[in-house]
Amino acid sequence: MFQRRRLPWPVEPAFTLPMSNPLRLGILGSGKGSNMVAIADAISRGDVPARIVTVISDVESAGILDHARSRGFPAQFIAPGKFRTKLDEDAERAYIDALKAAEVDLVVLAGFMRILKGEFLRLFEQRVINIHPSLLPAFPGLAAWKQALDYGVKFAGCTVHYVDQGVDTGPIIAQTAVPVVDGDTATTLHERIQLAERSLYPRVVAAMARDQIKVSGRSTAGLP
Ligand code: GAR
């Protein structure tokens, strides 16, 4: 069932794109998949009016694919191509085709370790969100929890944001602060941040599925 909804942040001229109810999620990840599992569990509990319609990884052995398959979600490895940090042109096309074939409304990056750019973001304009393990704009990029620990901050955290053409620069939807405690290692701090992620990400997806997130410029509002 399709309903017309406003895009999350104003574009000129204003236009709307169809969003389904429940929201159709395409999840991209490169790692163990704990965020995907948290979203799937929240959907099963009835907390998130969404469906996971496809899970895609750039890493053939990634745990996220095993978790997805064991829950019965369509899941596939799509090779990223010749670059280390982004998709090459053929791979980008393959990801786009797979997401379009699954009629995805919202692309949810859950530990997807490649930068999305150009054609992908044009086609899924304002329809891609990411979770990042720091309080952005501090510590974008790789191993953000380690960057935070090395810097000596007293609060680390996680951020859910829209994805734009920059690296971890899109409008921030929600953040959770996580204390750094005496004796923390990169591993213990990352575990504490990931606990916060598993609570935050499903809440954001639920709010998006309910069309509660309003965006004006870089400001967003509406997370209950
Ligand atoms: C998460 O901590 C997420 O914040 C991070 O990858 C991990 C994936 O864990 N993402 C990034 O660093 C993106 N820049 P998961 O596979 O268990 O969900």
Side-chain angles (χ1 to χ4, degrees), residues 32 133-134 142-153 156-157 178-195 197:
K32 66 180 194 282
S134 81
L142 293 177
W145 61 92
K146 186 168 182 312
Q147 295 184 54
L149 195 65
D150 291 347
Y151 195 91
V153 298
V178 170
V180 179
V181 302
D182 291 350
D184 254 342
T185 63
T187 304
T188 57
L189 180 58
H190 191 204
E191 279 169 1
R192 198 173 308 115
I193 291 170
Q194 286 212 302
L195 265 181
E197 289 183 341

Side-chain angles (χ1 to χ4, degrees), residues 31-36 110-113 130-133 141 145 168 190 194 197:
K32 66 180 194 282
S34 66
N35 280 288
M36 190 278 292
F112 189 65
M113 301 311 283
N130 180 45
I131 189 154
H132 181 76
W145 61 92
D168 303 324
H190 191 204
Q194 286 212 302
E197 289 183 341

Side-chain angles (χ1 to χ4, degrees), residues 5-10 19 23 106 126 129 160-162 171-174 200-224:
R5 286 189 186 169
R6 286 190 60 76
L7 276 167
W9 70 89
M19 297 273 258
L23 199 67
L106 183 69
Q126 300 160 348
I129 61 173
V160 178
H161 63 94
Y162 287 102
I172 290 171
I173 303 169
L200 185 67
Y201 218 1
R203 283 178 55 221
V204 171
V205 175
M208 296 200 68
R210 296 190 178 108
D211 200 19
Q212 289 168 328
I213 304 294
K214 306 295 171 209
V215 187
S216 168
R218 287 202 56 88
S219 294
T220 69
L223 191 72

Side-chain angles (χ1 to χ4, degrees), residues 32-173:
K32 66 180 194 282
S34 66
N35 280 288
M36 190 278 292
V37 168
I39 292 167
D41 287 349
I43 292 171
S44 299
R45 286 195 304 271
D47 293 344
V48 181
R51 279 180 60 196
I52 296 174
V53 293
T54 187
V55 176
I56 306 175
S57 182
D58 58 325
V59 177
E60 199 160 14
S61 59
I64 191 170
L65 291 177
D66 298 331
H67 284 301
R69 289 180 183 127
S70 71
R71 283 171 162 72
F73 305 138
Q76 59 179 316
F77 159 67
I78 301 182
K82 57 181 178 279
F83 301 122
R84 211 166 50 84
T85 57
K86 61 180 185 177
L87 302 175
D88 73 13
E89 205 174 311
D90 290 347
E92 182 183 69
R93 175 46 54 193
Y95 276 74
I96 290 168
D97 288 349
L99 291 164
K100 282 171 78 175
E103 298 181 44
V104 162
D105 294 308
L106 183 69
V107 179
V108 177
L109 305 185
F112 189 65
M113 301 311 283
R114 291 184 185 262
I115 298 162
L116 296 170
K117 299 194 93 64
E119 182 66 1
F120 189 104
L121 293 181
R122 265 192 296 283
L123 275 168
F124 293 99
E125 192 183 4
Q126 300 160 348
R127 297 296 188 89
V128 187
I129 61 173
N130 180 45
I131 189 154
H132 181 76
S134 81
L135 293 175
L136 289 171
F139 312 123
L142 293 177
W145 61 92
K146 186 168 182 312
Q147 295 184 54
L149 195 65
D150 291 347
Y151 195 91
V153 298
K154 297 299 183 195
F155 284 93
C158 53
T159 302
V160 178
H161 63 94
Y162 287 102
V163 175
D164 67 7
Q165 301 279 349
V167 176
D168 303 324
T169 51
I172 290 171
I173 303 169

Side-chain angles (χ1 to χ4, degrees), residues 6 10-16:
R6 286 190 60 76
V11 287
E12 292 297 336
F15 65 96
T16 58

